Amino acid sequence: MENTIAAISTNNIGVGAINIIRISGSEAINIVSKIFSNKKFIDAPSHTIHYGFIKEKENIIDEVLVMLMRAPKTYTKEDVVEINCHGGYATTNKILELLLTNGATLAEPGEFTKKAFLNGRINLLEAESISDMLNAKTNLQSEMALSGLTGKTTKKIENLREKMVSLLANIEVNIDYPEYIDELQITKENISPILMEIKRELEKIVEESKNGQIIKNGIKVAIIGSPNVGKSSLLNTLLEEEKAIVTNIKGTTRDTVEGSINYKGILLHFIDTAGIRETNDVVEKIGVEKSRKAIDMADVIILVLNNNESLEKEEQMLLKQIEEKKGIIFINKIDLEEKIESFTTTCKIIKGSTLKNIGIDTLKETILNNCEIKDLSNKDLTYLSSTRQISLAKEALQNIEYVIEQNKKDIPVDMLAIDIKIAWENLGKIIGKFYEEELVDNIFSKFCLGK
Amino acid sequence: MIYDCIVVGGGHAGIEASHIAAFKNHKTLLVTSNKKNIGDMACNPSIGGTAKGIIVREIDALGGLMGKIADISHFQIKMLNNSKGPAVRSLRAQVDKVTYPKNMINTLENTKNLDIIESMVEDLIIEEQKVKGIILEDGTKILGKTIILTTGTYLKANILIGSENKEGGPHGERRSNLLSDNLKKYGLKIQRLKTGTPQRIKADSIDFTKMQEEKGDDTLWTFSCDNAPSYNPNEQQKCYLIYTNENTHKIILDNLEKSAMYGGYVTGIGPRYCPSIEDKLVRFKDKERHQLFLEPESLYYDEYYLQGFSTSMPRDIQEKMVKTLPGLENALITKYAYAIEYDAIDPLQIKASLESKIIENLFTAGQINGTSGYEEAAGQGLIAGINACLKLEQKEPLILKRNEAYIGVLIDDLVTKGTSEPYRMLTSRAEFRLILRHDNADLRLREYAHNIGSIREEEYLNTKKKKENLKQCEEFLKQQKLKITPDIKKKMSEKNITIPIKTESLYDLLKRPEITMSLLNEFIELPFESVILEEIEIHIKYEGYIKKTYKEVEKMIKLEEKKIPENIDYNEVKNLASEARQKLEKVRPLSIGQASRISGVNPSDIAILCVYLKKEYNKNE
């Protein structure tokens, strides 16, 4: 029997007015009816909404609307039930727990989409795009996911594959019909510009995919510095201003505070590590270790210094450390007397005050600049975003770079075809299309040969 | 009396099938409608060509006749693609259309255990889906334990010239009227295919001065690795190259509806790779000219084959068309071009051993399986013959994998993808072509041939010796160092080669792209045959690519090893796309690897199938 899976489908549980729990599988309707007060529900027609209460024995847990969608016209092609319950972490979790105790299994991340894929509802690229969209937190993100769905990415890659297959077909024709000298003969010289063009386009795809990853995952910004420099107030200023959500994430480090804002369509994810304490050597080591970790994890580091104090030993050390990464130095409290010594750094320095809200916008802009993100909102969003897709595109690029290298070494063109074909296959894997016959079909549609 | 093996048809497939069965000491009968037509080359006067030349070498390695007989029957031979990479080189010989069949008939008549009779086979004796024998046109029954059908284009054949449609096979031979209907009755699917052949022109009516000569190689070649070259390269015949022109195109386009193809008289599906000239003009409107070759057919009669001008136009239009060509203004057409339609079976109904899935002990090979070409036919004939014998001997069939032989690629394509047009082998169909070269066919296949007893002991020893020589040569190149004498230094700098700083072994020197074996041969004596040196040089120079190919091979073999149980019920595999389900049901692939090559079965279907197998048959992962 197939698993019946359940999970909370809405993001940021506890924030919105309602939350949705989704259940999929052959037992979905049975399981829900066990905890749902509305008795008509179990035999109701597909694609209908039902009002009632979720109950644990006789206790009412929540007042809900339940959507019933019978197979096969559902996202997973299985029976799907969605429970619209009221916001609130505890209530939502309680309902999920009830479903699990009544026979559902907790869905793994992406399992609904996996089912949709395995059940033939969607193809691989769509699966990836949907999972991106489900995870989307900003408009740019969902736009990017959508463009995957509507086939923009597919189109771009297909065009490039078309170019490659034409080249391959031409090489094959030269091999299989060596005496047909009227056909264009691919040589060391004339293949070179074609390869360069393919390379450029692949580079573009790979380069843009970096933006894709940033749009998808946001930018991780670590705020480090000593405790008394105004680090926390910087975080609060950054978050408050955007009316963002602050979450206390349990279980990581007790002192770590995180929060995200949507700035110009990009998710900026701030992590405020607990400061470095100077009491004794052991703790100091732990502290340095901790900020070292934050530096490793983050895309961008903000080192906060106090204008009103002279530099401590640890701060001088941190100044060096952040030079390796994309560091930004924020000198806080410029409204107070300047006691900080001058220092040399390759990092960008911003002077400001969290109290007076000076320099905050410059700081945000600098974060984007550091990640080489210009204005993304006007761009044609045709990025690859999943790691699988990006690594395939990178592989294809490497294949072509290798071909260019080998061509310089006088390797025969028919051997070069081996790696061009591998690159072509790699691109085919991105869009879930890999069909040998394509090449042969192409040969006969483009060239005119034979007895 | 019961024959071990009965072969129906004496074409290129039938020859190899009957010869190998008799060679392996099985009592064999070859039935042909006309003894004189055994080994007839009904179309082009050449054997080999790109990819096909490699098939001929594979046939030779496995104990077949085609290569050995072509070696003593040609009047021109050349290595195609010699200037390209080693993987795509292939031999082609212009073969004498009189000598070749004569040599073949001679060989078969001198083969022990082989009887040859003249008759037309019109039915089979079938009991409980097993074949027991054949029934001739006069009703005579002949019993056989295995039957191999190699009927070529003779099943319900029709010849088409313009609107004229005549029953009959090539050269005015009789066709088989009932056999294909009977096969249909037994459950085989029949499809209608089409092919064609161009005009033959009388030699003394041709003005060769207006044509470009095409000569054979000065280097001596043989298809067979057991043969020494026995011809004089200076006595080779020439072929000629010409082009069509505006006038040719005008005549063809003005009369298009008179052709059998465009007049709607043809129902069979023709091959894309040998389109008729009218097809080429329609499909490639922008091309100003098309290449044509004139090839001599024989030293014993004076006709030339006009390659590239195949057509189904009526005779009067053909006359006009030919006379527009340079050098053919006064041409005398001795045979008009024609199209031929014939019945073939659906190759998805045969196993990779070439035995029918429907009728046990019935094998098919050649054009009846939907292929085209002498070499493709001979390769299948040989495999069908070998596997009929192995079946008699109660042994596992010989199934060559895609990384082992072009013949393996050919058969795998046929039984996995099927074909709706006559199938021709191309190098681009072989994804592992770098290791399927002409120079290593014997190294790839002779071990198999030896194990199944399809070659003579001395032939096996030839290959064993070659392997030893290769080892010695490699050792020699590794040991031998090249001292850079002032003389060598001078020669190298003349050729713009960077002088090695330290004394290096010949082996290491060869790794440099600019240093070739023939260059080293100028500096130091290499006491080995050229085939040995070539083989080693390929391995040194293209080591990286060869390794890469083997990696791909490993990937394929991994998928081949994921077996699909024979009794799988595809209706039980939920969520397969319906097209994929139908195709899988039809082909019934033996492995995930084979399943993934079926067109219409998508990667996501394969994923679903894998998940199903993992769940149902845990051991499959």
Side-chain angles (χ1 to χ4, degrees):
Chain A
M1 194 183 69
E2 301 283 337
N3 262 354
T4 295
I5 56 169
I8 301 166
S9 293
T10 32
N11 269 319
N12 297 327
I13 314 154
V15 176
I18 59 162
N19 276 313
I20 299 173
I21 300 170
R22 180 190 268 168
I23 308 104
S24 172
S26 53
E27 285 299 298
I29 300 168
N30 272 336
I31 292 170
V32 173
S33 67
K34 285 187 206 164
I35 59 167
F36 188 36
S37 65
N38 189 329
K39 294 301 160 209
K40 284 181 197 156
F41 168 76
I42 192 161
D43 296 317
S46 184
H47 293 76
T48 50
I49 301 177
H50 306 269
Y51 169 78
F53 300 97
I54 297 291
K55 285 180 164 181
E56 185 185 24
K57 291 181 188 143
E58 291 313 307
N59 296 330
I60 292 175
I61 307 293
D62 196 9
E63 185 183 13
V64 295
L65 284 175
V66 178
M67 279 178 235
L68 171 65
M69 290 160 278
R70 294 185 188 274
K73 285 188 175 170
T74 68
Y75 178 55
T76 55
K77 279 191 143 181
E78 301 172 332
D79 286 343
V80 171
V81 179
E82 288 180 1
I83 304 175
N84 288 243
C85 58
H86 291 94
Y89 186 74
T91 317
T92 314
N93 256 351
K94 181 72 203 171
I95 297 173
L96 179 61
E97 205 182 295
L98 278 175
L99 290 167
L100 300 184
T101 52
N102 277 288
T105 330
L106 184 62
E108 287 165 25
E111 201 175 350
F112 289 102
T113 306
K114 192 170 142 200
K115 279 194 169 201
F117 165 65
L118 284 179
N119 293 344
R121 164 89 160 67
I122 52 173
N123 70 31
L124 207 55
L125 188 73
E126 282 170 340
E128 283 168 330
S129 289
I130 286 171
S131 89
D132 283 352
M133 188 146 78
L134 293 176
N135 292 323
K137 293 191 188 101
T138 69
N139 283 339
L140 268 181
Q141 278 182 329
S142 53
E143 208 175 300
M144 184 175 70
L146 268 175
S147 84
L149 272 178
T150 54
K152 258 191 185 175
T153 320
T154 311
K155 194 92 201 264
K156 205 166 191 178
I157 288 179
E158 264 173 0
N159 286 343
L160 188 53
R161 287 185 88 228
E162 175 64 32
K163 220 170 262 175
M164 294 162 94
V165 87
S166 302
L167 175 63
L168 282 170
N170 201 153
I171 294 173
E172 300 300 326
V173 160
N174 294 159
I175 294 167
D176 275 319
Y177 299 89
E179 288 162 325
Y180 281 76
I181 46 178
D182 261 11
E183 300 300 341
L184 173 68
Q185 302 293 314
I186 299 289
T187 61
K188 179 187 173 166
E189 287 72 30
N190 64 21
I191 198 175
S192 178
I194 306 173
L195 289 172
M196 292 310 283
E197 192 189 328
I198 294 172
K199 184 181 162 219
R200 268 195 303 276
E201 283 182 39
L202 274 170
E203 277 171 344
K204 222 166 120 192
I205 289 178
V206 170
E207 187 55 38
E208 285 176 349
S209 71
K210 276 186 201 154
N211 287 345
Q213 284 237 302
I214 284 171
I215 293 174
K216 189 184 161 200
N217 300 328
I219 301 171
K220 282 201 200 92
V221 187
I223 303 173
I224 60 170
S226 307
N228 57 345
V229 294
K231 196 159 45 82
S232 306
S233 61
L234 174 64
L235 179 70
N236 285 334
T237 315
L238 282 165
L239 296 181
E240 235 167 88
E241 201 186 33
E242 298 292 331
K243 298 197 173 38
I245 316 128
V246 189
T247 332
N248 279 305
I249 305 274
K250 291 174 195 167
T252 49
T253 315
R254 245 184 74 211
D255 302 332
T256 302
V257 181
E258 301 190 12
S260 308
I261 59 166
N262 178 344
Y263 182 68
K264 293 192 174 172
I266 305 291
L267 197 77
L268 301 184
H269 193 74
F270 295 102
I271 311 148
D272 173 16
T273 56
I276 304 152
R277 298 175 202 282
E278 320 81 1
T279 42
N280 64 49
D281 272 20
V282 181
V283 179
E284 183 187 310
K285 265 184 196 158
I286 295 170
V288 171
E289 193 50 44
K290 208 187 264 174
S291 50
R292 163 68 74 185
K293 228 178 195 170
I295 291 172
D296 284 346
M297 298 268 292
D299 301 310
V300 176
I301 319 282
I302 302 174
L303 172 62
V304 185
L305 299 174
N306 187 348
N307 187 46
N308 196 231
E309 304 261 347
S310 67
L311 283 175
E312 288 168 19
K313 208 168 67 191
E314 292 73 25
E315 286 176 325
Q316 271 165 355
M317 220 156 62
L318 287 174
L319 271 172
K320 283 224 171 63
Q321 278 181 19
I322 64 163
E323 282 194 355
E324 300 161 17
K325 272 276 199 165
K326 288 167 179 167
I328 301 169
I329 296 160
F330 186 75
I331 302 180
N332 198 12
K333 307 185 187 179
I334 54 159
D335 45 329
L336 301 178
E337 185 192 340
E338 182 176 318
K339 289 186 184 161
I340 192 167
E341 307 87 341
S342 63
F343 55 88
T344 55
T345 177
T346 57
C347 296
K348 173 119 181 142
I349 301 171
I350 296 158
K351 293 185 176 180
S353 158
T354 50
L355 199 69
K356 307 254 153 126
N357 207 349
I358 303 167
I360 303 299
D361 280 340
T362 321
L363 182 60
K364 284 187 281 195
E365 201 56 42
T366 311
I367 293 170
L368 292 198
N369 287 341
N370 260 19
C371 294
E372 285 155 24
I373 298 282
K374 308 273 146 46
D375 198 5
L376 275 174
S377 36
N378 303 326
K379 267 206 174 172
D380 180 24
L381 297 170
T382 53
Y383 309 126
L384 299 177
S385 58
S386 89
T387 319
R388 185 189 74 90
Q389 293 170 350
I390 293 169
S391 73
L392 281 167
K394 278 186 183 159
E395 243 173 80
L397 176 59
Q398 276 169 14
N399 300 142
I400 294 298
E401 282 169 344
Y402 181 74
V403 174
I404 293 170
E405 208 48 50
Q406 292 296 91
N407 189 36
K408 285 179 194 152
K409 289 189 197 158
D410 283 327
I411 294 289
V413 169
D414 54 280
M415 303 280 249
L416 299 182
I418 293 175
D419 286 284
I420 301 175
K421 193 161 171 235
I422 293 175
W424 175 72
E425 286 170 5
N426 278 330
L427 290 185
K429 286 179 198 160
I430 295 180
I431 54 173
K433 194 173 180 185
F434 186 51
Y435 175 36
E436 274 295 320
E437 211 60 13
E438 230 174 301
L439 187 58
V440 176
D441 288 344
N442 203 285
I443 292 175
F444 297 119
S445 63
K446 291 219 164 75
F447 299 90
C448 168
L449 314 140
K451 74 181 173 185
Chain B
M1 165 181 153
I2 303 176
Y3 280 99
D4 290 326
C5 183
I6 299 174
V7 179
V8 181
H12 303 283
I15 286 171
E16 301 292 355
S18 58
H19 170 260
I20 207 70
F23 176 83
K24 276 175 65 49
N25 285 320
H26 295 288
K27 193 73 194 131
T28 306
L29 173 69
L30 174 62
V31 189
T32 167
S33 65
N34 183 351
K35 256 191 187 180
K36 281 185 210 130
N37 266 339
I38 289 177
D40 177 45
M41 300 170 71
C43 196
N44 55 320
S46 64
I47 282 180
T50 48
K52 290 159 170 267
I54 304 178
I55 293 182
V56 178
R57 288 217 157 161
E58 291 175 353
I59 291 169
D60 180 63
L62 289 168
L65 292 176
M66 181 172 256
K68 289 191 168 68
I69 302 298
D71 278 340
I72 54 168
S73 313
H74 67 77
F75 42 66
Q76 191 206 81
I77 189 162
K78 60 160 86 174
M79 184 64 79
L80 300 172
N81 285 331
N82 217 2
S83 60
K84 299 195 176 95
V88 298
R89 288 172 204 158
S90 195
L91 273 179
R92 188 189 58 203
Q94 299 301 134
V95 169
D96 194 308
K97 282 194 174 184
V98 172
T99 320
Y100 183 84
K102 216 169 87 190
N103 286 332
M104 267 306 178
I105 294 167
N106 248 332
T107 310
L108 291 187
E109 280 176 340
N110 288 313
T111 300
K112 256 196 348 193
N113 304 319
L114 180 61
D115 295 340
I116 305 174
I117 59 163
E118 271 184 6
S119 184
M120 190 66 82
V121 175
E122 291 290 18
D123 203 354
L124 302 175
I125 306 168
I126 309 273
E127 286 170 21
E128 291 167 353
Q129 294 304 104
K130 267 189 194 174
V131 71
K132 302 281 179 176
I134 53 170
I135 303 173
L136 305 180
E137 54 190 335
D138 61 4
T140 311
K141 290 182 178 175
I142 304 175
L143 300 181
K145 292 177 190 160
T146 59
I147 310 292
I148 304 174
L149 296 180
T150 59
T151 51
T153 58
Y154 283 82
L155 293 183
K156 272 194 169 175
N158 275 36
I159 301 273
L160 298 109
I161 302 177
S163 59
E164 202 183 295
N165 187 337
K166 230 172 48 189
E167 290 183 2
H171 302 327
E173 290 291 324
R174 293 185 302 141
R175 69 176 200 174
S176 158
N177 278 316
L178 305 173
L179 188 55
S180 64
D181 285 345
N182 284 325
L183 292 175
K184 208 179 203 167
K185 202 174 69 193
Y186 301 130
L188 272 67
K189 275 188 206 127
I190 302 294
Q191 56 177 338
R192 196 104 177 121
L193 298 177
K194 182 218 121 184
T195 186
T197 192
Q199 301 79 3
R200 315 297 197 267
I201 313 285
K202 199 154 172 34
D204 56 18
S205 71
I206 304 171
D207 179 0
F208 291 109
T209 59
K210 295 185 178 170
M211 303 180 177
Q212 187 184 320
E213 287 182 2
E214 299 272 314
K215 289 180 185 165
D217 285 352
D218 293 330
T219 318
L220 291 167
W221 303 105
T222 60
F223 281 110
S224 173
C225 57
D226 307 308
N227 281 358
S230 59
Y231 64 96
N232 181 346
N234 300 321
E235 287 171 6
Q236 297 187 84
Q237 299 296 305
K238 289 170 197 140
C239 295
Y240 298 88
L241 166 65
I242 53 172
Y243 295 94
T244 59
N245 54 49
E246 266 174 44
N247 295 335
T248 328
H249 294 191
K250 188 173 182 319
I251 290 171
I252 294 169
L253 292 173
D254 285 351
N255 293 285
L256 211 49
E257 76 290 347
K258 288 186 185 159
S259 76
M261 278 305 287
Y262 288 89
Y265 309 113
V266 178
T267 52
I269 298 167
R272 283 172 297 180
Y273 49 80
C274 52
S276 59
I277 186 74
E278 53 266 27
D279 238 4
K280 291 188 206 175
L281 289 184
V282 171
R283 281 172 52 197
F284 302 96
K285 287 198 177 68
D286 302 335
K287 274 198 92 163
E288 284 166 12
R289 60 179 199 177
H290 292 271
Q291 262 178 291
L292 305 174
F293 293 93
L294 276 136
E295 303 173 15
E297 292 224 324
S298 172
L299 297 177
Y300 299 94
Y301 61 89
D302 54 351
E303 282 178 21
Y304 275 73
Y305 174 93
L306 184 51
Q307 202 220 100
F309 217 53
S310 137
T311 177
S312 58
M313 287 283 191
R315 292 180 179 82
D316 57 327
I317 308 296
Q318 288 195 35
E319 286 284 350
K320 286 185 193 161
M321 284 160 58
V322 167
K323 289 192 168 140
T324 61
L325 300 171
L328 296 180
E329 294 85 354
N330 300 308
L332 187 69
I333 301 178
T334 49
K335 288 189 195 97
Y336 290 92
Y338 61 83
I340 181 166
E341 279 190 301
Y342 56 97
D343 280 356
I345 63 162
D346 179 353
L348 292 181
Q349 287 187 324
I350 54 177
K351 302 179 192 171
S353 62
L354 298 183
E355 186 181 3
S356 169
K357 287 180 183 171
I358 315 286
I359 300 166
E360 201 183 335
N361 295 333
L362 179 69
F363 294 76
T364 50
Q367 276 166 308
I368 188 173
N369 284 347
T371 61
S372 157
Y374 310 146
E375 304 79 2
E376 287 88 340
Q380 290 172 69
L382 184 60
I383 296 293
I386 287 174
N387 283 334
C389 295
L390 291 172
K391 180 115 199 219
L392 290 166
E393 297 159 18
Q394 295 179 325
K395 289 180 185 153
E396 285 293 306
L398 174 69
I399 296 171
L400 298 171
K401 290 197 275 295
R402 299 182 73 87
N403 59 312
E404 291 176 323
Y406 269 91
I407 297 175
V409 175
L410 165 69
I411 295 175
D412 182 65
D413 276 352
L414 280 180
V415 304
T416 306
K417 295 176 180 158
T419 187
S420 54
E421 63 175 345
Y423 177 104
R424 185 205 144 149
M425 185 42 79
L426 301 161
T427 56
S428 45
R429 297 195 198 267
E431 62 275 44
F432 308 122
R433 66 182 177 214
L434 184 52
I435 56 173
L436 303 183
R437 301 184 309 272
H438 78 93
D439 55 271
N440 67 3
D442 49 349
L443 300 175
R444 286 186 270 130
L445 300 173
R446 281 243 151 133
E447 206 60 50
Y448 283 131
H450 178 64
N451 288 340
I452 57 181
S454 65
I455 50 169
R456 290 183 181 81
E457 190 58 26
E458 64 262 31
E459 290 170 338
Y460 179 56
L461 290 178
N462 283 345
T463 305
K464 248 180 124 174
K465 204 177 129 212
K466 182 174 169 185
K467 282 185 186 167
E468 276 161 27
N469 284 341
L470 285 170
K471 230 188 246 165
Q472 283 168 7
C473 180
E474 194 180 324
E475 207 44 46
F476 172 86
L477 294 170
K478 281 180 176 164
Q479 297 297 330
Q480 199 73 31
K481 305 236 167 13
L482 183 70
K483 265 196 221 128
I484 310 292
T485 61
D487 187 39
I488 290 179
K489 211 173 202 170
K490 198 179 146 220
K491 274 189 188 156
M492 280 192 164
S493 43
E494 273 168 15
K495 288 185 172 146
N496 251 337
I497 294 168
T498 334
I499 317 286
I501 306 161
K502 55 180 199 292
T503 322
E504 278 183 76
S505 73
L506 302 182
Y507 193 91
D508 287 336
L509 283 171
L510 282 166
K511 287 181 181 165
R512 296 167 45 174
E514 70 275 19
I515 295 183
T516 61
M517 198 67 92
S518 63
L519 180 80
L520 287 185
N521 221 349
E522 290 177 27
F523 305 144
I524 191 166
E525 202 212 329
L526 303 169
F528 295 94
E529 286 174 61
S530 60
V531 279
I532 301 291
L533 293 173
E534 186 196 354
E535 185 77 33
I536 297 269
E537 185 173 20
I538 291 168
H539 270 267
I540 298 175
K541 286 251 180 302
Y542 301 109
E543 197 194 358
Y545 282 101
I546 291 174
K547 275 192 182 151
K548 199 175 282 180
T549 304
Y550 278 113
K551 243 191 206 158
E552 292 295 311
V553 168
E554 261 172 50
K555 268 193 230 163
M556 178 202 70
I557 287 179
K558 240 184 214 161
L559 291 177
E560 294 301 312
E561 280 167 357
K562 285 192 183 166
K563 298 283 177 226
I564 300 175
E566 268 184 53
N567 59 359
I568 188 171
D569 179 358
Y570 285 104
N571 288 319
E572 287 292 304
V573 189
K574 278 186 198 152
N575 307 317
L576 281 175
S578 58
E579 190 196 356
R581 192 190 308 278
Q582 281 169 17
K583 288 277 180 68
L584 287 165
E585 189 53 56
K586 203 170 171 192
V587 178
R588 300 204 65 82
L590 302 174
S591 66
I592 289 289
Q594 194 189 353
S596 67
R597 290 192 293 273
I598 301 171
S599 58
V601 177
N602 293 316
S604 56
D605 298 313
I606 294 295
I608 286 162
L609 187 56
C610 287
V611 170
Y612 174 80
L613 290 179
K614 207 170 163 184
K615 251 193 327 207
E616 293 299 308
Y617 311 84
N618 242 338
K619 53 186 183 285
N620 276 293
E621 197 60 358

